[in-house]
């Protein structure tokens, strides 16, 4: 597994069509990330908040669903959120997990349109599944988006990664420096799986932050 930082040329000159909208990588490394997603089965996007990891992954997945090259999108993340797990949130399991859709919702609506997105949720073509409910499942003809992967333990990431079936692509994003657990498995998974064909890790740097100038300044200040 190659660790792509600044080592190969990304074709960012042509817009990539996803459904009704064109999605353009906003910088070099986003183009590298998009190429890695296209060309591999398991892709790790590692880096700071605001670099567009979730945006690129969600845009690609939405386009594949719209064109019916896959049957569904699975969204999951560990139930650790700044020290508050699912058990602390009120409501049913679906209501508890709804906030985890938020990072993807605006991208899905932009790419697919609000109507298509809401229909896909109702038909479970887009389905959030809590990480701890994934044991024993197998995903075929799907893209699995694993968000906040740094909050998963080594055992949890092994379990999730082994759910991959036929015509399945798994995209894991996270920031190894922003874990709220002691036994984060993200770096372990990246190191353990290097060299396996079809698996690639793309590392984003602080200079790749595109959310806002202020976001970048804040992240940089916390580095010091």
């Amino acid at each position: 597994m190659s660790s792509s930082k600044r080592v190969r040329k990304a074709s960012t000159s042509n817009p990539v069509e996803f459904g009704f909208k064109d999605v353009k990588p906003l910088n070099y490394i986003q183009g590298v990330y998009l190429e890695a997603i296209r060309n591999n089965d398991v892709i790790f996007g590692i880096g700071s908040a605001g670099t567009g990891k979730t945006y690129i992954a969600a845009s690609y997945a939405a386009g594949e669903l719209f064109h019916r090259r896959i049957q569904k999108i699975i969204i999951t993340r560990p139930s650790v959120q700044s020290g508050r797990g699912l058990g602390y949130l009120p409501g049913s399991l679906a209501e508890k997990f709804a906030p985890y859709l938020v990072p993807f919702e605006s991208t899905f609506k932009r790419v697919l349109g609000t109507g298509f997105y809401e229909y896909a949720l109702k038909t479970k073509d887009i389905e959030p599944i809590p990480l701890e409910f994934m044991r024993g499942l197998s995903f075929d003809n799907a893209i699995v988006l694993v968000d906040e992967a740094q909050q998963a333990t080594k055992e949890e990431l092994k379990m999730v990664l082994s759910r991959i079936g036929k015509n399945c692509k798994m995209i894991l994003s996270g920031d190894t420096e922003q874990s709220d657990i002691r036994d984060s498995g993200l770096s372990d998974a990246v190191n353990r799986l290097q060299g396996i064909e079809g698996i690639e890790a793309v590392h984003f740097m602080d200079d790749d932050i595109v959310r806002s100038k202020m976001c970048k300044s804040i992240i940089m200040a916390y580095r010091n």
Side-chain angles (χ1 to χ4, degrees):
M1 174 173 56
S2 63
S3 179
S4 300
K5 294 183 180 180
R6 298 291 186 277
V7 296
R8 60 185 176 87
K9 185 177 180 180
S11 54
T12 58
S13 57
N14 296 323
V16 183
E17 279 194 15
F18 300 115
F20 304 113
K21 300 289 184 181
D22 289 340
V23 177
K24 295 181 180 180
L26 298 178
N27 55 23
Y28 174 86
I29 198 64
Q30 285 189 6
V32 170
Y33 190 41
L34 183 55
E35 285 189 355
I37 291 171
R38 286 174 174 168
N39 297 325
N40 293 277
D41 297 322
V42 176
I43 308 92
F44 293 92
I46 312 297
S48 300
T51 51
K53 304 184 302 295
T54 299
Y55 169 74
I56 293 293
S59 297
Y60 177 87
E64 293 296 284
L65 180 66
F66 179 81
H67 292 296
R68 289 300 172 183
R69 289 188 281 264
I70 58 168
Q71 292 179 352
K72 70 187 307 174
I73 298 171
I74 304 297
I75 299 172
T76 191
R77 68 193 294 181
S79 23
V80 176
Q81 181 68 11
S82 298
R84 290 170 59 87
L86 285 174
Y88 290 99
L89 299 175
S92 66
L93 182 61
E95 291 171 331
K96 289 180 178 183
F97 202 69
Y100 291 179
L101 280 169
V102 172
F104 302 94
E105 190 172 56
S106 61
T107 300
F108 285 150
K109 286 182 177 179
R110 179 186 182 279
V111 175
L112 300 172
T114 300
F116 190 110
Y117 168 67
E118 292 179 350
Y119 176 79
L121 283 177
K122 289 180 181 178
T123 59
K124 294 189 176 181
D125 287 347
I126 297 176
E127 183 178 10
I129 301 178
L131 193 72
E132 59 267 42
F133 283 58
M134 296 184 74
R135 188 173 300 278
L137 300 180
S138 178
F139 298 119
D140 299 319
N141 300 309
I143 291 178
V144 182
L145 301 176
V146 183
D147 197 30
E148 300 290 346
Q150 79 277 1
Q151 305 286 36
T153 65
K154 296 177 183 179
E155 292 75 17
E156 286 173 333
L157 279 187
K158 176 185 176 182
M159 180 271 292
V160 170
L161 286 161
S162 62
R163 302 305 95 202
I164 191 167
K166 297 178 181 178
N167 190 34
C168 180
K169 195 180 293 283
M170 189 170 292
I171 308 172
L172 304 94
S173 62
D175 182 353
T176 54
E177 298 186 12
Q178 293 293 320
S179 177
D180 294 313
I181 63 173
R182 293 182 179 179
D183 188 29
S184 176
L186 183 54
S187 293
D188 173 77
V190 171
N191 293 331
R192 191 182 294 271
L193 301 179
Q194 63 181 333
I196 298 178
E197 185 177 357
I199 300 179
E200 184 168 350
V202 175
H203 292 262
F204 294 76
M205 301 178 182
D206 290 343
D207 284 345
D208 300 318
I209 294 172
V210 295
R211 179 170 295 160
S212 68
K213 185 176 181 180
M214 181 59 70
C215 175
K216 183 175 180 178
S217 297
I218 291 171
I219 295 291
M220 296 292 287
Y222 273 90
R223 296 288 187 222
N224 299 324

